[in-house]
Amino acid sequence: MKAKTLTARNVAAKTAAALLLLIVILFFCTLTGSHPVSLKNALSGDEGQGHNIDYEIIFGSRLPRVLLAAIVGAALACAGVTLQAILRNPLADPYILGISSGAGLGGALAIMLASVLGSWAGVSVGIFAFAGALGTVWLVWFIGHFATGRSSATSLLLAGVVVNAFFSALIMFLTQIAKSYQLREIWLWLMGSITEKNLAVIGASAIAVLLGLVGLFSIAQRLNVLTLGRAEAQGLGVATARTNLIAFALAAFVTSVAVSLSGLIGFVGLIVPHGVRLIFGPDHRQLLPLSALCGAALLVIADTLARTVIAPAQLPVGIITAIAGGPFFLILLARYNRKVSWTK
Amino acid sequence: MTIHKITLRNILLAALVILVAAIVLIRICLHRSIHTTSPEVNSQSEPQRIVSLAPNITEILFELGLADKVIAVSNDCDWPPEALGKEKIGSFWQPSVEAVISCKPDLVITLWFQQQSNVADSLKRLGYKVLTLRLEKLDELAPAIEKIGAATGRSEEAERLLGDINAQIERVKQKYDNQTRPRVLWVVQPEPLRVAGSNTFITELLELAGAQNAISLTSIQYPGLSTEELLTCRADVIIQAAMNKDTIEQQRREAVEFWSKYKNLPAVRNNRIYVVDPDTILRLGPRIGLGLEQIGRIIHEP
């Protein structure tokens, strides 16, 4: 172990620095947009609809979006870290076990049933996607764990691939029978984008994601041991099956929340964990909090770009994360010639 | 490797508390804004600053004589030409809430689908007056025009416009009613081949124009056709939607060449292959009557 000893103070300092950076980024991204606004004016408060445009733009449009991007980014990054650890696979991302196709199927169904759902149509996409994501994860866990009779990362991955392929086929089928405008709705939703949501939704999902993340932080040490391998972990006294289950359930939960808020935003859950690991090392006790903060920052910046580069038109944020994330990741790889790995 | 769990936990706890506090604070802020604004403010007087999020809504607004009250439109609103000069609020598919707010609208008109109703919800939360319309089928056009008329104080103009559109449709219907109904294959995209199925808005238009869809019942809206089905559909006329309205003549030449391999189709033998601009013909707005007349002429008066 060549890495420096990790002390609590060290972790706290890095986390605090990252948190501060995130707050600065949140602040500046809230002030950035297609229309110039004055913060002073905005802070003078609401003066009735249409009177204080600055207030409405900042508190009604930008802040909800920025907060939502932060929540989704943190959730995806931490889910990526966790899945890479329990599957012991550097290619794992939050969507690897079929969550994307399950959520996609739920979202597509909700869009197609919109006329049946009536006034619930607005929220139903999120609810259906959440249910689809959790249902799929359960199915994958069930197939991977019980149907194959052994609990290895490989059988989970295989179950994920099969379920993914099956649900993707169902989505393709749905797009065939969809009306042309529904097709475009589904397609845009699948690409992932951050939209303004009401504060109750943002608050509830922030609490849900935070609880999930705190849960993951509390098993960080056990995740460290898990990455050594199953036999070694058991030798060190870690109940691998139980830890796996807890980690898997928490990662699936936060990913499902993220997906139901924003559709399928790719790359964040893959790049951020690797980036943080390359720079700070693979100890999950700091990897998890730092990934959460960096994931939040990355998605907030990406969404700010998405809503400003071709303003007033907007891009799906998934395009930005993929275009910016890929090269950024390569630069990191080149600069730090430590091996990209998921173990310590 | 000396890390004190409790310290880490404390940090996380602190972070949690800060975040929750921040959320609560913002919630209180916005809560106030939701309750102090009254959406009723403008409902008495006619709206003076209208924002339209869709091309067909823009066309209706201009037809109702509201050209100078329309402040902003979507990037896709290209008709009438004056609409091009209006402020833009983003694309039809992803309108920007921020851009809408900065226009200080007193009425925002949106369509009903997911991406636009998201924007409508955000604006409603801020107290803006929003009219959301369903406009996907021919029989939804009349109620939509009436609602726009009522919301803008132009109910009489709306009735007149509806009268004109209905008269145009009726005229086309009468004119081609007693003729044989040619079979029309409506091509949405040539490669890979996608055509309009039977349960589409296009079939409705074809039937009004005294023709029939060459494709019989399909559950899929815009099916791809196998060569076998294509050869047996006995299309008398092939109408292809243009991909780009500037190169229609060139696209027609390409279409004629593309279809020349299906010699046994009556449409190919008789050179009845047309390329049309789908925006003017199919946009579900005030020009639908004109579009229908054009379809009728193409089919019956080659």
Side-chain angles (χ1 to χ4, degrees), chain B:
Chain B
M1 280 297 141
T2 50
I3 179 159
H4 304 293
K5 233 183 182 170
I6 303 193
T7 328
L8 186 61
R9 220 172 253 171
N10 280 344
I11 298 161
L12 295 171
L13 215 66
L16 185 80
V17 168
I18 293 171
L19 259 159
V20 170
I23 289 161
V24 169
L25 209 74
I26 295 156
R27 179 91 189 101
I28 291 167
C29 264
L30 268 166
H31 193 70
R32 197 167 56 93
S33 86
I34 290 161
H35 289 275
T36 50
T37 54
S38 52
E40 259 66 59
V41 175
N42 295 303
S43 62
Q44 300 303 320
S45 54
E46 277 179 27
Q48 300 298 316
R49 302 179 62 84
I50 305 171
V51 171
S52 156
L53 264 54
N56 41 0
I57 294 174
T58 305
E59 286 192 32
I60 294 172
L61 287 169
F62 275 76
E63 281 295 325
L64 297 181
L66 294 159
D68 52 339
K69 307 219 163 142
V70 175
I71 294 301
V73 297
S74 79
N75 292 358
D76 303 280
C77 297
D78 54 358
W79 191 265
E82 297 98 286
L84 291 168
K86 298 285 181 185
E87 194 84 23
K88 297 289 186 287
I89 49 83
S91 68
F92 170 65
W93 281 102
Q94 288 195 297
S96 155
V97 176
E98 181 173 336
V100 174
I101 295 174
S102 67
C103 297
K104 302 192 185 183
D106 51 12
L107 175 64
V108 182
I109 308 181
T110 78
L111 289 183
W112 182 80
F113 64 88
Q114 182 74 18
Q115 279 79 8
Q116 292 215 347
S117 59
N118 276 345
V119 172
D121 288 345
S122 301
L123 290 168
K124 279 183 205 153
R125 276 198 295 277
L126 287 167
Y128 283 91
K129 196 176 161 197
V130 182
L131 177 63
T132 301
L133 300 169
R134 273 191 92 139
L135 204 40
E136 285 137 26
K137 293 198 297 258
L138 196 54
D139 58 9
E140 285 166 343
L141 182 61
I145 291 179
E146 278 164 5
K147 278 183 196 160
I148 294 177
T152 54
R154 299 284 164 122
S155 289
E156 276 172 43
E157 286 85 344
E159 284 310 315
R160 216 172 303 142
L161 175 61
L162 269 179
D164 290 350
I165 295 172
N166 284 335
Q168 279 170 329
I169 293 177
E170 207 47 45
R171 222 169 27 238
V172 174
K173 238 162 101 178
Q174 299 287 324
K175 192 171 173 188
Y176 304 118
D177 197 30
N178 45 12
Q179 307 196 359
T180 51
R181 295 185 163 261
R183 299 168 66 85
V184 178
L185 183 69
W186 192 287
V187 180
V188 180
Q189 122 189 342
E191 270 173 298
L193 185 66
R194 289 251 158 192
V195 301
S198 54
N199 52 343
T200 55
F201 165 55
I202 290 165
T203 306
E204 259 183 288
L205 289 184
L206 289 177
E207 271 161 19
L208 285 175
Q212 56 179 320
N213 196 333
I215 305 300
S216 50
L217 199 65
T218 51
S219 58
I220 293 175
Q221 294 256 326
Y222 295 92
L225 281 192
S226 67
T227 311
E228 188 180 319
E229 275 173 280
L230 189 62
L231 291 175
T232 53
C233 77
R234 293 179 286 123
D236 299 307
V237 179
I238 294 172
I239 300 180
Q240 195 168 310
M243 295 287 161
N244 175 351
K245 58 182 96 172
D246 300 325
T247 56
I248 286 185
E249 196 38 49
Q250 190 199 332
Q251 287 178 60
R252 195 187 114 76
R253 281 197 300 275
E254 283 166 9
V256 168
E257 202 190 310
F258 173 81
W259 289 101
S260 62
K261 53 187 172 235
Y262 304 107
K263 278 277 187 275
N264 75 327
L265 286 178
V268 178
R269 276 202 307 272
N270 304 327
N271 194 24
R272 300 289 309 276
I273 297 163
Y274 305 92
V275 174
V276 296
D277 172 13
D279 277 354
T280 48
I281 291 188
L282 295 182
R283 189 176 287 173
L284 195 43
R287 287 187 291 164
I288 197 68
L290 294 175
L292 198 55
E293 278 173 7
Q294 204 182 330
I295 295 176
R297 268 201 306 279
I298 287 174
I299 295 171
H300 300 285
E301 304 159 33

Side-chain angles (χ1 to χ4, degrees), chain A residues 120-199:
Chain A
W120 283 93
V123 280
S124 60
V125 176
I127 296 171
F128 272 59
F130 183 71
L134 277 189
T136 313
V137 164
W138 179 82
L139 192 65
V140 168
W141 181 260
F142 183 79
I143 296 172
H145 233 78
F146 297 102
T148 61
R150 62 209 158 95
S151 60
S152 74
T154 317
S155 58
L156 258 188
L157 274 173
L158 284 175
V161 169
V162 170
V163 169
N164 220 340
F166 182 72
F167 282 171
S168 301
L170 286 183
I171 296 175
M172 293 303 281
F173 174 74
L174 283 183
T175 59
Q176 288 297 302
I177 60 171
K179 298 192 178 73
S180 52
Y181 68 93
Q182 290 174 331
L183 194 65
R184 187 103 186 231
E185 282 178 66
I186 294 173
W187 182 66
L188 274 174
W189 189 83
L190 288 178
M191 277 204 294
S193 51
I194 308 278
T195 52
E196 297 81 3
K197 295 262 191 303
N198 72 44
L199 261 281

Side-chain angles (χ1 to χ4, degrees), chain A residues 290-310:
Chain A
L290 290 180
S291 293
L293 295 167
C294 292
L298 177 71
L299 201 56
V300 167
I301 294 172
D303 184 54
T304 304
L305 286 174
R307 62 188 164 83
T308 50
V309 275
I310 52 165

